[in-house]
Amino acid sequence: MSDTSDRRDLLILGGGLVGMTLALAAAKKGMTSHVVDRADPADLTAEGFDGRASAISTASWNLFTNIGLAQRLEADASPISKIAVSDQLKPGQLDFVPDDPADTLGRMFANRTLRLALFEAAKDEPLIHWHARAGVIERRRGEHGVSVRLADGKELEASLMIGAEGRGSPTREDAGIAMANWQYDHRAIIAGLTHEKPHGQVAWEIFYPAGPFALLPLKDDADGTHRSALVWTVAERDAAGVLKLGDRAFTAEVEKRMGRLFGAITGVGPRSSYPLGFHHTATITAERLALVGDAAHGIHPIAGQGLNLGLRDVGALVQVLDDNLRLGLEPGEAQGLARYERWRGLDAFMVALATDGLTRLFGVPGETASAVRRFGMAGVQRLPVLKDWFMDEARGVSGDMPDLLVA
Amino acid sequence: MADARKAKLTIREDEAAHFGALAAEWWDPAGSSAMLHRLNPVRLAFLREAIDLHWGTSIEGRRPLAGKLSLDVGCGAGLLCEPLARMGAEVTGIDAAPENTAAAAAHAEGAKLDIRYMAGELAEQDIGTFDLVTAMEVIEHVADKPAFVAQLVRHLAEDGLLVLSTPNRTAQSRLLLVGAAEAVGAIPRGTHHWSDFVTPEELADLLGAEGLKMSEPRGIAFSPFKGLHLSDDTSLNYIVTARRTAPPST
Ligand SMILES: Cc1cc2nc3c(=O)[nH]c(=O)nc-3n(C[C@H](O)[C@H](O)[C@H](O)COP(=O)(O)OP(=O)(O)OC[C@H]3O[C@@H](n4cnc5c(N)ncnc54)[C@H](O)[C@@H]3O)c2cc1C
């Protein structure tokens, strides 16, 4: 290893929402990092690049508060006061409302808003060295440290490597970590919608045989236009067609599925899509390597909740690393990584299983299946344990919480 | 081992490679020292608390031992010396086996840490006194325990802190540490001789004879859920501090 003058604690590969939050949270604890992302920050934050919106659970919001991000975001938050679950808009809807009306089930943000806030915060943080538009040519992990060579010849060194490049993580593949991965032949269509009536801060999960159709309440535009984020699951074979529809035809299809819940649909933003599948890695660590975010685990069963799972990884990993550093142990030290693995492995696996279960429960067509689903939902309504799990999952307070995610 | 201090100087090139391999073996978290690796964060957590209590350092700080001299007796390949150095101490590690200290030196070089390693008996060294003296899992291997404790205390600065850990001599430790753990290979065979183990009362007496006051012992216990952890149960293994004045009240 050549130049060691800029050896850092962390080498974070992938500066998406999870990778960036990790760098910031680590910096708050005095840890230095390199963050490498192949994309151009200008593209990442351009209007329309990322039509996604994410629910930030109460626990994730605590994390943002603890790392000084909440003030930047507060004004753009759209609180979720209720999650309504329905089978094809038939009667027998299931409502999730927090016990305390002052409480929320999370706050909605456009991903673009989150990215901008993270970029701003990272710019002011001297402990983060950001490498944008950078491709990784070679990764090395050894007894005493890790390094990568970038396409421009630059060498970056650190104590611990972190794979945060999302679900296609080349760092995970490079480490030979295998994934259980079965495709469902489904795809989520993502788009922003504007509509006539206010959403009343309600998030909708409407189940159809092809999969859930979810509406997530966004903040009104500056001119008072009401907005929601749409996450619509369709069969893979139909996805290309749906993406290609003209705005008028697309709007008609959407209205067919959500009825007049929010009055007329007045506009549709750029559409993108996201392949869905059960995806779970057996391990999330290797020698001097930890995986976080989508690189470590698959999609969350409740639309928009994927980021929360990744932020819990961040909280747990930063706590483990901070404890290590207090004890004179390196970030890349094996016992700390084993602790991270024990802490996060089970949580991610439970979520993956729930996703699988929900997809199967709601993925069966036909009247009988629909009756069974309604019966299943009534069961959830009546079974406090299940209902609490769903609520806690939405709020992000299930499991053993990392300190950073506690108020 | 005629002159231990020269051991390091007389290592040949080909031997260096051998010690490098040995260090790799010692430092492999899944290798024959796996148990020590798992024990390390547990005893370091105890040590960190003792350090902050003794010197009044902030529990958040990364270098509570900055400016302190630290001696680790029975240092093996440096599993404890390296964290002590990262906590800011100027560290000396000593071990009876020259191949251990050579392996330790090879590893410290790779980790870019400046640690002084010496091979030989503590009694033969003229190295002054230290603010922090540690002897983890050593006293149970020593034949003349009073003499060993006297040597530890001779190297302890007037207001210094001594930390010791060792297996307890109980029915449980006989069954688990010597019997089961060695039988399944969790600990290399022949590591422990149960009759050489010291109880906390005996250790307090040994330290008392040298004018030191021992703290309440903390247990290092094992459970399938928590793994190795600090506990009130001292029946297997325990860890203590000792100092010339009474410990500060918590
Ligand atoms: C279109 C879309 C829709 C989604 N919809 C939902 C949903 O409805 N519900 C849900 O729960 N979750 C959803 N997710 C997942 C959710 O957005 C993620 O869980 C969350 O954003 C966490 O992402 P991350 O930071 O781990 O990875 P990402 O957000 O994927 O970020 C990865 C980062 O790594 C960079 N990168 C990638 N490859 C490389 C490389 N080789 N070298 C360097 N950098 C690289 C990328 O530029 C990017 O910045 C969706 C994801 C997508 C893409």
Side-chain angles (χ1 to χ4, degrees), chain B residues 4-246:
Chain B
R5 268 160 297 174
K6 281 206 189 120
K8 200 176 161 186
L9 301 174
T10 55
I11 293 172
R12 297 193 317 267
E13 278 288 311
D14 56 334
E15 286 185 319
H18 166 69
F19 292 131
L22 203 67
E25 163 83 34
W26 259 94
W27 280 89
D28 177 0
S32 55
S33 306
M35 206 57 146
L36 274 181
H37 281 275
R38 266 179 253 151
L39 193 57
N40 217 25
V42 182
R43 60 195 193 181
L44 279 166
F46 176 89
L47 191 57
R48 176 67 205 243
E49 206 181 311
I51 288 166
D52 291 336
L53 207 61
H54 187 76
W55 282 291
T57 35
S58 151
I59 61 165
E60 297 286 340
R62 299 280 197 245
R63 295 172 64 81
L65 291 176
K68 299 279 188 293
L69 295 178
S70 167
L71 173 68
D72 185 35
V73 181
C75 64
L79 253 62
L80 195 72
C81 288
E82 293 194 7
L84 291 172
R86 285 198 202 85
M87 283 194 257
E90 203 173 298
V91 182
T92 299
I94 183 164
D95 199 287
E99 65 266 30
N100 282 355
T101 51
H107 194 270
E109 193 182 331
K112 300 198 169 59
L113 291 169
D114 190 9
I115 296 171
R116 173 172 69 164
Y117 286 110
M118 314 176 96
E121 296 293 331
L122 186 57
E124 294 161 12
Q125 315 298 330
D126 183 16
I127 47 176
T129 62
F130 296 81
D131 302 299
L132 175 65
V133 176
T134 49
M136 306 290 203
E137 314 298 310
V138 183
I139 195 166
E140 67 273 21
H141 301 290
V142 173
D144 186 347
K145 295 182 181 14
F148 177 71
V149 171
Q151 283 306 320
L152 292 178
V153 176
R154 180 167 79 89
H155 288 92
L156 186 68
E158 195 49 40
D159 57 353
L161 179 68
L162 176 64
V163 181
L164 293 156
S165 74
T166 191
N168 201 348
R169 195 175 69 251
T170 59
Q172 289 97 316
S173 71
R174 175 172 218 160
L175 202 67
L176 255 151
L177 289 181
V178 187
E182 291 190 13
V184 300
I187 298 175
R189 214 172 263 279
T191 299
H192 290 126
H193 303 279
W194 182 77
S195 57
D196 273 346
F197 290 1
V198 186
T199 65
E201 296 73 29
E202 289 163 354
L203 187 58
D205 288 346
L206 284 165
L207 291 162
E210 296 297 326
L212 262 61
K213 290 189 181 64
M214 189 179 96
S215 69
E216 274 298 305
R218 278 291 272 159
I220 296 176
F222 177 81
S223 90
F225 296 107
K226 292 193 194 168
L228 289 165
H229 62 280
L230 289 173
S231 131
D232 293 334
D233 176 5
T234 58
S235 63
L236 278 186
N237 212 294
Y238 63 97
I239 185 164
V240 298
T241 66
R243 36 197 276 161
R244 290 196 170 85
T245 51

Side-chain angles (χ1 to χ4, degrees), chain A residues 29 143-144 322 326 328 335, chain B residues 48 59 62 83 86 107:
Chain A
K29 297 283 186 187
E143 197 189 347
H144 294 291
D322 185 45
R326 282 189 58 250
Q335 308 305 313
Chain B
R48 176 67 205 243
I59 61 165
R62 299 280 197 245
R86 285 198 202 85
H107 194 270

Side-chain angles (χ1 to χ4, degrees), chain A residues 14 16-18 37-38 52 165-166 170 190 231 274 293-294 304-306:
Chain A
L17 294 176
V18 173
D37 201 288
R38 64 177 174 194
R52 278 179 284 171
E165 304 113 322
I190 321 284
V231 183
Y274 182 70
D294 282 11
Q305 293 281 339

